């Protein structure tokens, strides 16, 4: 069953939190070049003569403080520096505003939204920056640039595993090696998604013993990490918006330690996927890991560090995961075992239907524009705020449902599509048979679903 919304999420905001959300929408849309139709005087501040983004428009002051500004740019930078800014987000933010076209940033944002609630995505950045609107904006814009310019997230998901399989025969040695390294990690099962913890959070298992420093290139390791995180995002929902990571340290030795990928993963969760980690379980770590952990802990934000728990045995692991959901490999009752199902011929045939894809993209663009205009009205019209929020909720649902219609046209099928965890229309199924309007939908014969754990009924679908 779906529980009540967690604090600080859509549908469960204090009045102060709602105002912060409105402030962040105001500044974000300004950076994106979007303005209220009745405020043409804002146009000058939305786009410079070079066509670059800028949040420095100075609209008329509102009673509810929606357009409060920091005194000057130095104060802005100082507010970020107080948080440490260990990833150089403030510098990246200033560079993005000076060089990026607003529409590119806007497209990157709506691409990241996918099936998420747009408010929910912005609220992640606000919670991560302790409700400081400017710091949240800096983090958000830096993330959009990271996705666009540094890791090319959409390309990774569009190409997927099938393109990597083709690239293993590429004439370019660099392309060939990266593809081979990327697939090697999938075939090994270095990490995989399966099941849920006691809070209903999807779990990602990382078998640390399978990693050897230098076996894969840095580029392929980062590509694999982003691919796994982006795939895991598809498993999240409004009522379960964080994931659990289980680091299986069984058989760990110093040969498995590699600080580079660890730093990249930390940066991903702290700077680019804020508020996405619910819990991190380090299971069966040997004594030699203690000194390593002392180093890693020093790199972590205290909030992230507080989510890390060490479990020595099955009883301690059961404090976080039902035994029926703990895979047999770790001593639990779930008999599921990881097995990589390779891409099949034609599984991405839908992606060649550009006509339908463009039609769906156009429909989504219209809903996005309506959501943006309704959001601006919701901010500026306190008398009709309840009605406008209801309209925004309906539009957010259209975006969610519309994404899953679009998904087969813009995202290559993954292991988790082939083996039945991610199903048509965004149905996520870890155990048992998902209910559909026409009755139970049969499971695909695959190792991914495995036998139903004893504590689950076939009709027990969360």
């Amino acid at each position: 069953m779906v529980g009540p919304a967690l604090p600080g999420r859509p549908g469960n905001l204090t009045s102060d939190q709602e105002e912060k959300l409105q402030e962040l929408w105001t500044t974000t849309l300004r950076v994106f070049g979007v303005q209220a139709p009745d405020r043409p005087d804002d146009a000058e501040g939305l786009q410079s003569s070079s066509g670059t983004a800028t949040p420095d428009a100075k609209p008329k002051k509102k009673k509810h403080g929606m357009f409060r500004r920091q005194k000057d740019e130095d104060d802005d930078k100082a507010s970020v520096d107080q948080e440490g800014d260990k990833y150089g987000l403030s510098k990246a933010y200033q560079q993005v505003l000076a060089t990026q076209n607003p529409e590119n940033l806007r497209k990157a944002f709506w691409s990241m939204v996918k099936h998420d609630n747009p408010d929910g995505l912005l609220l992640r950045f606000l919670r991560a920056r302790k409700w400081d609107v400017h710091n949240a904006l800096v983090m958000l814009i830096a993330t959009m640039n990271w996705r666009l310019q540094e890791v090319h997230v959409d390309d990774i998901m569009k190409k997927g595993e099938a393109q990597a399989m083709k690239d293993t025969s590429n004439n370019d040695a660099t392309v060939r090696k990266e593809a081979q390294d990327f697939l090697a990690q999938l075939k090994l099962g270095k990490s995989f998604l399966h099941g849920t913890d006691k809070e209903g959070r999807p779990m990602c298992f990382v078998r640390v013993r399978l990693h050897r420093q230098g076996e894969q290139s840095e580029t392929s390791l980062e590509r694999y990490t982003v691919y796994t995180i982006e795939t895991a995002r598809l498993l999240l929902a409004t009522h379960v918006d964080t994931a659990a990571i289980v680091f299986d340290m069984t058989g760990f030795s110093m040969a498995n330690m590699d600080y580079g990928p660890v730093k990249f993963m930390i940066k991903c969760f702290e700077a680019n996927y804020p508020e996405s980690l619910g819990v991190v379980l380090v299971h069966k770590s040997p004594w030699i890991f203690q000194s390593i952990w002392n180093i890693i802990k020093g790199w972590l934000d205290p909030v992230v560090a507080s989510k890390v728990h060490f479990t020595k045995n099955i009883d301690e692991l059961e404090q976080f995961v039902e035994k029926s959901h703990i895979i047999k490999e770790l001593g639990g009752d779930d008999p599921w075992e990881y097995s990589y199902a390779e891409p099949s011929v034609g599984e991405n045939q839908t992606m060649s239907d550009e006509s339908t894809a463009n039609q769906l993209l156009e429909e989504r663009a219209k809903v996005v524009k309506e959501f943006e205009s309704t959001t601006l009205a919701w901010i500026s019209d306190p008398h009709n705020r309840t009605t406008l929020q209801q309209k925004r909720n309906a539009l957010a649902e259209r975006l969610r449902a519309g994404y899953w219609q679009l998904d087969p046209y813009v995202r290559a099928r993954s292991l988790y599509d082939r083996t039945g965890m991610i199903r048509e229309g965004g149905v996520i199924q870890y155990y048992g048979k998902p209910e559909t309007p026409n009755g139970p939908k049969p499971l695909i014969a695959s190792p991914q679903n495995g036998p139903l754990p004893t504590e689950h009924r076939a009709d027990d679908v969360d």
Side-chain angles (χ1 to χ4, degrees):
M1 294 180 63
V2 177
L6 294 169
R9 272 72 167 184
N12 191 2
L13 300 176
T14 66
S15 58
D16 287 344
Q17 290 171 346
E18 183 177 86
E19 183 175 343
K20 295 291 187 182
L21 176 61
Q22 291 175 330
E23 288 184 31
L24 184 54
W25 268 119
T26 299
T27 54
T28 298
L29 291 176
R30 184 177 296 114
V31 170
F32 293 167
V34 179
Q35 72 218 49
D38 61 342
R39 296 187 61 83
D41 56 312
D42 281 1
E44 209 173 301
L46 295 172
Q47 190 168 342
S48 69
S49 59
S50 61
T52 54
T54 171
D56 296 328
K58 297 181 179 178
K60 296 175 184 178
K61 199 168 185 179
K62 295 281 185 178
K63 287 183 180 179
H64 50 75
M66 288 309 306
F67 298 97
R68 288 199 300 265
R69 323 295 290 181
Q70 283 80 359
K71 286 185 296 183
D72 53 38
E73 189 174 298
D74 291 335
D75 286 346
D76 288 350
K77 291 180 180 179
S79 69
V80 180
D81 290 340
Q82 288 173 1
E83 296 294 329
D85 197 16
K86 63 181 178 180
Y87 299 114
L89 300 183
S90 182
K91 182 179 179 181
Y93 169 74
Q94 297 297 335
Q95 289 178 338
V96 171
L97 294 185
T99 60
Q100 275 286 1
N101 183 287
E103 182 61 18
N104 290 340
L105 295 172
R106 177 175 174 268
K107 287 179 179 178
F109 172 80
W110 287 107
S111 174
M112 186 178 184
V113 168
K114 290 187 168 65
H115 67 304
D116 203 353
N117 184 310
D119 280 354
L121 183 56
L122 258 64
L123 286 166
R124 289 182 185 276
F125 290 90
L126 278 169
R127 295 197 306 274
R129 286 297 176 259
K130 300 177 177 61
W131 301 92
D132 183 299
V133 174
H134 176 74
N135 288 355
L137 177 68
V138 167
M139 189 184 198
L140 174 68
I141 299 305
T143 292
M144 295 309 107
N145 189 62
W146 178 81
R147 295 175 68 87
L148 270 175
Q149 301 294 330
E150 295 184 36
V151 295
H152 308 286
V153 172
D154 289 344
D155 285 344
I156 290 174
M157 303 311 291
K158 187 174 183 178
K159 292 176 179 177
E161 299 163 32
Q163 184 60 49
M165 191 71 73
K166 291 180 182 178
D167 286 344
T168 58
S169 301
N170 196 290
N171 291 330
D172 186 316
T174 302
V175 173
R176 184 169 65 250
K177 176 70 164 64
E178 183 180 326
Q180 291 169 343
D181 288 354
F182 174 73
L183 288 172
Q185 296 173 87
L186 282 162
K187 292 176 180 179
L188 270 175
K190 186 184 290 186
S191 66
F192 52 83
L193 307 171
H194 177 72
T196 55
D197 69 1
K198 284 186 174 181
E199 301 299 321
R201 295 174 292 218
M203 292 188 291
C204 176
F205 294 87
V206 182
R207 299 192 284 193
V208 182
R209 66 184 178 277
L210 297 181
H211 179 76
R212 293 287 190 278
Q213 185 175 9
E215 281 190 348
Q216 285 92 33
S217 68
E218 180 181 355
T219 302
S220 69
L221 287 166
E222 293 182 357
R223 175 181 172 185
Y224 177 73
T225 300
V226 171
Y227 184 75
T228 302
I229 295 174
E230 282 291 316
T231 304
R233 285 188 67 222
L234 297 173
L235 312 181
L236 302 179
T238 300
H239 61 288
V240 181
D241 62 355
T242 60
I245 300 181
V246 181
F247 285 96
D248 176 13
M249 303 293 288
T250 306
F252 174 84
S253 72
M254 291 304 294
N256 307 122
M257 193 58 231
D258 193 352
Y259 287 112
V262 172
K263 285 184 175 181
F264 180 76
M265 189 182 303
I266 291 171
K267 181 180 183 295
C268 281
F269 284 112
E270 289 191 353
N272 306 120
Y273 296 97
E275 297 292 304
S276 295
L277 273 181
V279 67
V280 177
L281 305 176
V282 182
H283 187 59
K284 288 191 174 181
S285 63
W287 66 270
I288 59 171
F289 184 72
Q290 186 58 51
S291 59
I292 296 171
W293 167 242
N294 288 335
I295 295 172
I296 294 174
K297 187 176 181 180
W299 298 337
L300 295 175
D301 178 276
V303 175
V304 175
S306 71
K307 298 177 181 180
V308 179
H309 302 270
F310 287 79
T311 57
K312 298 189 296 288
N313 51 51
I314 188 68
D315 291 335
E316 292 184 359
L317 191 55
E318 278 188 73
Q319 294 177 25
F320 302 92
V321 187
E322 296 287 354
K323 193 171 184 180
S324 60
H325 284 193
I326 299 174
I327 56 178
K328 194 173 183 180
E329 181 178 320
L330 297 182
D333 293 338
D334 183 354
W336 178 90
E337 294 181 357
Y338 180 83
S339 178
Y340 182 64
E342 294 192 353
S344 59
V345 176
E347 69 176 14
N348 294 317
Q349 186 63 35
T350 304
M351 297 181 74
S352 63
D353 184 355
E354 294 183 3
S355 175
T356 303
N358 289 335
Q359 180 182 342
L360 291 170
L361 286 168
E362 287 175 8
E363 291 173 1
R364 185 172 178 82
K366 290 177 182 177
V367 181
V368 164
K369 282 190 175 182
E370 188 173 0
F371 185 92
E372 290 172 337
S373 62
T374 304
T375 295
L376 289 169
W378 168 69
I379 292 167
S380 63
D381 186 358
H383 302 295
N384 293 301
R385 193 156 287 161
T386 300
T387 300
L388 289 165
Q389 180 59 58
Q390 291 172 347
K391 183 177 180 181
R392 294 177 77 247
N393 292 342
L395 290 167
E397 173 57 25
R398 285 176 62 188
L399 287 170
R400 186 203 66 79
Y403 171 76
W404 286 112
Q405 287 183 300
L406 177 65
D407 179 75
Y409 298 88
V410 296
R411 181 182 65 87
R413 300 301 86 183
S414 70
L415 161 69
Y416 305 102
D417 297 275
R418 290 191 290 277
T419 54
M421 181 189 291
I422 301 175
R423 294 166 179 262
E424 183 180 351
V427 174
I428 306 300
Q429 190 58 40
Y430 304 103
Y431 312 104
K433 299 179 179 181
E435 292 293 328
T436 70
N438 299 318
K441 187 174 182 179
L443 288 173
I444 299 171
S446 72
Q448 182 64 39
N449 288 289
L452 189 66
T454 53
E455 293 185 14
H456 288 267
R457 304 189 312 274
D459 60 349
D460 182 17
V461 179
D462 294 335

